[in-house]
Amino acid sequence: MTKKTFLPSMLPVLAVILSISILLPAPASALVTAFRQAIAEGVAEHDEMAEFYRERAFEPIWTRTEDAERRNALLMALEGAANHGLPAGRYDPDALRAAFMDADNPYSRGQAEIMASTMFLRYAHDVQSGILDPGSVVREIHRDLPRRDPTDLLHSLVDSDPYEVIRALPPAHPEYLRLQRELLRLTQMANDGGWGSTVYGGRLELGDRGQAVVQLRDRLIRMGYMERSATAVFDADMEAAVQRFQSAHGLLADGVAGSSTIEEVNIGLDTRLRQVILAMERQRWLNWEDPERGSRHVLVNIPDYHAYVIDNEEVTFETRVVVGATPSNRVTPEFSDTMEHMVINPSWYVPRSITIGEYLPQMQANPAAAGHLELLQGGRQVSRAGIDFSQYTASTFPFDLRQGPGPGNALGRVKFMFPNRHNIYLHDTPSRNLFARETRAYSHGCVRVHRPLELAYHLLAPQESQPQTYFNRILNSGQETQVDLVQQIPVHIVYWTAFVTPEGELNFRRDIYGRDRALWNAMEQAGVELPIVSS
């Protein structure tokens, strides 16, 4: 692994920035035309910027003597772009600094003015709400990005402290700040030589010894999971370190370094840096005002196979989940919506894709197949007697299928509804064995919940003094019942392959749908570079 220049020390950069004090005189009236011409040419294809300067009668915001603080704030931000995993080449502070220094006439001042506004808006766009339009890269990502109006951004620079305006652009959420720290830590680790040798060998466990054990020991020490040690034996300390590593990577924490654990141990630092940079980009897609994320919200992390209830940034409930299987028509999409109610003793109205893709072929082969499902036409149950299923195709099949409430219902005892165009929701399931597996991507797209009743009690607690008694009374009635939530709850279904716990533990998960790969290709095309390259 060879080093690649990443970020210089900020102290020399600050010294250079603060030394720029371009004392440019305001344009004299005889020279206004040249200045305005440069502005007009620069904003010809940027309507919002043109509107901003027209409103100001083309008065500059960057190139006067009194604009020094604004210039310095912008240059300092651009110098630190790589700290956010941004494509530093898109905001060339050296070129901007040179433009300021060379602005010795009205026309060149106008050019420097527009260059500064353009770089500011480009940086603000990227650091605030993301480099990518994710849905154009991965169609299963549905995000309304928090793009701010460019005119508003420019006005905020004029009306407020520029340092505060620029400092407020990136997400202030604790997860983003934790990821940023990890990006810098891993970068320093890369510059210090990385994680060491790859571990060669098969299964390693307590009592084993040899070269593979030494390689594993050294790598765990470099990664921070084990204190420095000279042992050549897989001892209790190494077993505990392996367990910590496994927990941080979503693996069964049994302390045995089997094939899946060794595979994760051997993943390179460059891959982990990509995951952290992508995680920061994903946080930028969620950079809303606080009420939209929700002081109480439900977070479902697809590759983590877990769902969480989060109250004021503290996890108050968590459960394992099963998510969509890997065929592209069954994966769980990413989106946000609002949970409005739950249904106790739900019916299952079979989605059309499952009806014609799975059950119709069965009933064509055997008319008695899928006998647990009712046949509906126009919302009314019809008898199967006399129906020749073989006469229908996927496009002509006129019936719907429904499974009534009961212990074998595919949705189990309760479903949690946040009505959305993807027809995705959280629900119970009678198939309990899947929750014991390390990998849990088996559903048709909806999210199956391991502890559904406990989740229901937790969500009902703000509105019921005895939520468990209330829920079980309805459950025992056997009647399908909708229970509205007095406090509607934002639900965020995300795909985070890297995240940091509030305790500061960096976690990684497998890219089960290949979304990281697609997004990173797009990030590279946008100019994002790693602080290191593989040897």
Side-chain angles (χ1 to χ4, degrees):
M1 184 173 291
T2 58
K3 297 181 183 177
K4 181 178 177 182
T5 302
F6 184 47
L7 290 176
S9 166
M10 290 305 293
L11 289 177
V13 172
L14 285 172
V16 171
I17 291 170
L18 294 174
S19 70
I20 298 176
S21 56
I22 326 162
L23 302 180
L24 299 175
S29 58
L31 303 175
V32 167
T33 300
F35 182 81
R36 289 189 174 185
Q37 180 184 347
I39 297 288
E41 290 172 359
V43 301
E45 297 182 2
H46 199 309
D47 293 343
E48 293 90 347
M49 198 187 300
E51 177 187 349
F52 171 77
Y53 279 103
R54 279 196 303 269
E55 288 178 356
R56 294 177 56 80
F58 295 90
E59 182 184 0
I61 66 172
W62 302 103
T63 52
R64 299 166 303 181
T65 302
E66 60 265 35
D67 298 328
E69 193 170 61
R70 198 172 294 127
R71 289 192 297 271
N72 290 341
L74 175 59
L75 286 165
M76 186 161 59
L78 300 183
E79 291 284 1
N83 281 328
H84 297 276
L86 297 178
R90 280 170 83 161
Y91 344 93
D92 189 342
D94 292 334
L96 181 58
R97 188 179 293 108
F100 284 146
M101 297 296 288
D102 295 341
D104 55 3
N105 62 72
Y107 188 80
S108 61
R109 280 199 293 271
Q111 289 180 311
E113 178 76 24
I114 292 306
M115 180 185 286
S117 288
T118 300
M119 283 197 193
F120 166 70
L121 290 177
R122 188 178 298 156
Y123 173 81
H125 172 286
D126 293 350
V127 79
Q128 185 172 57
S129 52
I131 303 162
L132 304 178
D133 176 6
S136 68
V137 181
V138 178
R139 66 180 183 180
E140 291 84 12
I141 303 177
H142 307 275
R143 291 282 169 217
D144 294 325
L145 302 181
R147 305 289 195 205
R148 279 186 62 184
D149 179 81
T151 306
D152 291 344
L153 284 167
L154 289 167
H155 277 299
S156 68
L157 265 183
V158 174
D159 299 336
S160 306
D161 181 330
Y163 290 101
E164 291 299 324
V165 171
I166 292 175
R167 200 157 31 232
L169 292 173
H173 192 272
E175 177 64 11
Y176 187 83
L177 302 177
R178 293 191 292 260
L179 286 165
Q180 190 174 35
R181 285 194 294 270
E182 289 302 315
L183 174 60
L184 297 176
R185 183 182 70 83
L186 293 182
T187 298
Q188 186 61 53
M189 175 65 69
N191 291 333
D192 290 343
W195 286 335
S197 301
T198 299
V199 180
Y200 295 101
R203 177 187 174 96
L204 298 172
E205 58 186 318
L206 199 62
D208 286 344
R209 60 181 64 233
Q211 184 60 31
V213 171
V214 172
Q215 291 168 344
L216 177 61
R217 177 204 68 194
D218 291 347
R219 204 157 170 94
L220 290 172
I221 291 171
R222 293 288 290 168
M223 288 177 170
Y225 294 101
M226 186 174 175
E227 297 293 330
R228 291 184 93 47
S229 170
T231 183
V233 180
F234 196 120
D235 57 14
D237 289 339
M238 189 175 294
E239 182 182 53
V242 168
Q243 286 178 316
R244 285 192 291 273
F245 176 90
Q246 290 168 328
S247 294
H249 291 74
L251 306 172
L252 177 64
D254 58 4
V256 175
S259 58
S260 62
T261 297
I262 295 296
E263 180 181 348
E264 291 294 311
V265 166
N266 283 335
I267 288 177
L269 187 51
D270 51 352
T271 297
R272 297 312 190 193
L273 276 163
R274 289 189 194 99
Q275 289 181 270
V276 170
I277 291 171
L278 284 171
M280 295 174 71
E281 172 75 357
R282 287 171 166 127
Q283 285 296 317
R284 291 189 283 264
W285 303 341
L286 301 177
N287 189 15
W288 306 306
E289 299 296 328
D290 287 341
E292 293 185 72
R293 191 180 285 244
S295 56
R296 160 170 274 208
H297 61 271
V298 174
L299 183 77
V300 179
N301 188 0
I302 297 168
D304 181 38
Y305 306 118
H306 274 78
Y308 305 87
V309 178
I310 299 175
D311 288 284
N312 298 313
E313 299 309 328
E314 289 190 15
V315 175
T316 56
F317 178 86
E318 66 178 281
T319 179
R320 296 182 178 191
V321 298
V322 170
V323 299
T326 50
S328 59
N329 64 335
R330 293 178 62 179
V331 298
T332 300
E334 297 171 62
F335 67 101
S336 295
D337 216 296
T338 302
M339 187 182 297
E340 300 174 358
H341 62 270
M342 64 182 72
V343 178
I344 304 172
N345 296 315
S347 296
W348 181 43
Y349 291 87
V350 184
R352 183 73 180 174
S353 59
I354 300 176
T355 295
I356 61 177
E358 298 183 22
Y359 288 120
L360 177 57
Q362 293 177 25
M363 293 186 293
Q364 288 172 331
N366 175 12
H372 63 294
L373 300 175
E374 301 169 356
L375 206 62
L376 303 178
Q377 190 169 31
R380 295 186 177 184
Q381 185 174 355
V382 298
S383 171
R384 293 183 181 221
I387 295 178
D388 179 8
F389 293 106
S390 64
Q391 68 178 307
Y392 299 112
T393 65
S395 59
T396 63
F397 189 65
F399 305 106
D400 296 312
L401 298 178
R402 171 185 176 271
Q403 183 183 23
N409 185 281
L411 304 184
R413 296 155 291 181
V414 60
K415 65 177 180 178
F416 304 89
M417 299 301 294
F418 37 104
N420 58 83
R421 62 189 175 92
H422 316 292
N423 198 28
I424 297 295
Y425 45 89
L426 278 64
H427 65 85
D428 183 19
T429 175
S431 303
R432 312 300 297 172
N433 60 308
L434 298 178
F435 292 111
R437 301 189 183 185
E438 186 175 272
T439 300
R440 297 189 290 277
Y442 298 104
S443 80
H444 285 83
C446 283
V447 179
R448 305 176 189 172
V449 180
H450 184 221
R451 300 170 57 209
L453 302 191
E454 293 91 337
L455 175 58
Y457 307 153
H458 193 73
L459 297 181
L460 288 171
Q463 65 192 66
E464 297 293 335
S465 59
Q466 296 182 305
Q468 184 170 347
T469 301
Y470 172 83
F471 180 93
N472 288 335
R473 183 171 64 250
I474 298 173
L475 180 67
N476 294 335
S477 74
Q479 298 298 308
E480 184 169 2
T481 304
Q482 176 175 317
V483 177
D484 293 334
L485 294 174
V486 173
Q487 178 187 352
Q488 297 188 352
I489 304 170
V491 177
H492 307 298
I493 300 182
V494 301
Y495 190 95
W496 295 352
T497 57
F499 58 92
V500 187
T501 68
E503 294 74 35
E505 183 77 32
L506 179 60
N507 276 240
F508 293 106
R509 297 294 183 266
R510 294 187 178 103
D511 182 20
I512 60 173
Y513 294 161
R515 292 180 188 173
D516 275 12
R517 185 169 59 251
L519 290 169
W520 183 256
N521 288 340
M523 295 278 276
E524 281 192 316
Q525 290 173 17
V528 175
E529 297 181 353
L530 287 180
I532 57 168
V533 293
S534 298
S535 57

